[in-house]
Amino acid sequence: EAGVTQFPSHSVIEKGQTVTLRCDPISGHDNLYWYRRVMGKEIKFLLHFVKESKQDESGMPNNRFLAERTGGTYSTLKVQPAELEDSGVYFCASSPLGDGAIEQYFGPGTRLTVT
Amino acid sequence: RKEVEQDPGPFNVPEGATVAFNCTYSNSASQSFFWYRQDCRKEPKLLMSVYSSGNEDGRFTAQLNRASQYISLLIRDSKLSDSATYLCVVNKITGGGNKLTFGTGTQLKVEL
C-alpha cells in the first residue's frame, strides 16, 4: 500500500513568490494534517482536515497560507507571498477516522527554502 | 514555556549501552502520548505509544506518569541502527482526529 506522498520534495523560491505544496494521503484516510518544522524548532501543527472540511486551522501562521482539500482526497498548501521565515520542512500526515488516539502516517516532507 | 520539553542531547553511547530519555509536558488535558523516531532528513515514524501502566516493545520501554506529566523512554542493548532523533509527542483528540504536539527531539548517537 502506498504511503503518504508529497510534492515537491524540495522547493527554492524568492521572497514574494508563490509556492504550492501538494499532499496525497493514504487512500481511505479521511484525516489529513499539515505540520511544519522551521530550523531549530519543533514540528508544529498547522491544520487538520476531515475529508474536505477544515476541522482545526489554529496553527496556520497567517493569511499568507491557504490550505485546500477539494473532494476530500489530496490537499494543497499555498504560501503567497512567501517570506524568509516560511523556510522549513512541511510535513503532511494522514490517518483514518476513529475514536481515541489513531496513528498518523507522515509523508517525507517538502523542504522549502525562501531566499 | 514549550508544551513538550526534551533534552536535545546529543546522547553519545557505545553499542550495547542502556540509555534513557525523559520528557515533560505542560498541558494536563493531553490525552495520549507517543515516542516517534526521526532519522536524518526523513519523516517522523511512530516508535511506540505510551501508557500509564508502562509498555515494552523488545528493547524499548516507555512509561507515563500523569501526576508528574512526565514521559520516559528506555532503550536497552542499543544498536548502531538506533541512532536517530527521538521525538516526545502528546496528543489531544479533536473532532475525529488528533492534534499532535511535538518536543524538539533528543538526538541519540550509538557508536562502536
Side-chain angles (χ1 to χ4, degrees), chain A:
Chain A
E1 181 185 322
V4 177
T5 57
Q6 293 186 243
F7 182 83
S9 56
H10 293 82
S11 181
V12 181
I13 61 171
E14 293 183 354
K15 177 181 170 180
Q17 290 186 319
T18 297
V19 63
T20 300
L21 314 181
R22 174 173 169 140
C23 168
D24 286 78
I26 292 171
S27 178
H29 282 191
D30 289 331
N31 285 313
L32 187 150
Y33 306 84
W34 284 98
Y35 293 88
R36 175 174 78 167
R37 184 169 201 161
V38 297
M39 182 74 76
K41 302 278 190 180
E42 66 274 20
I43 297 171
K44 284 195 171 178
F45 168 85
L46 295 179
L47 88 159
H48 168 209
F49 283 99
V50 177
K51 299 183 181 179
E52 67 276 7
S53 300
K54 289 177 186 173
Q55 187 71 29
D56 181 351
E57 51 184 328
S58 60
M60 294 287 263
N62 51 60
N63 59 10
R64 295 185 294 103
F65 290 75
L66 175 64
E68 295 181 321
R69 193 183 182 195
T70 308
T73 53
Y74 72 90
S75 174
T76 58
L77 179 65
K78 182 162 74 172
V79 186
Q80 179 183 30
E83 297 289 345
L84 298 178
E85 65 264 24
D86 300 333
S87 295
V89 183
Y90 289 77
F91 291 105
C92 174
S94 73
S95 73
L97 278 179
D99 296 325
I102 308 293
E103 179 179 355
Q104 294 184 23
Y105 297 83
F106 281 77
T110 292
R111 187 170 298 272
L112 174 65
T113 303
V114 183
T115 61

Side-chain angles (χ1 to χ4, degrees), chain B residues 30-73:
Chain B
S30 299
Q31 294 163 298
S32 304
F33 309 88
F34 310 92
W35 285 100
Y36 274 71
R37 171 189 168 133
Q38 187 174 24
D39 292 287
C40 188
R41 301 179 87 85
K42 299 283 189 179
E43 70 273 22
K45 290 187 177 177
L46 180 65
L47 178 66
M48 59 198 303
S49 301
V50 190
Y51 306 110
S52 296
S53 54
N55 48 303
E56 189 173 311
D57 182 3
R59 298 180 293 108
F60 298 83
T61 301
Q63 188 76 51
L64 165 67
N65 183 323
R66 281 189 185 268
S68 303
Q69 296 182 197
Y70 173 95
I71 304 163
S72 65
L73 176 68

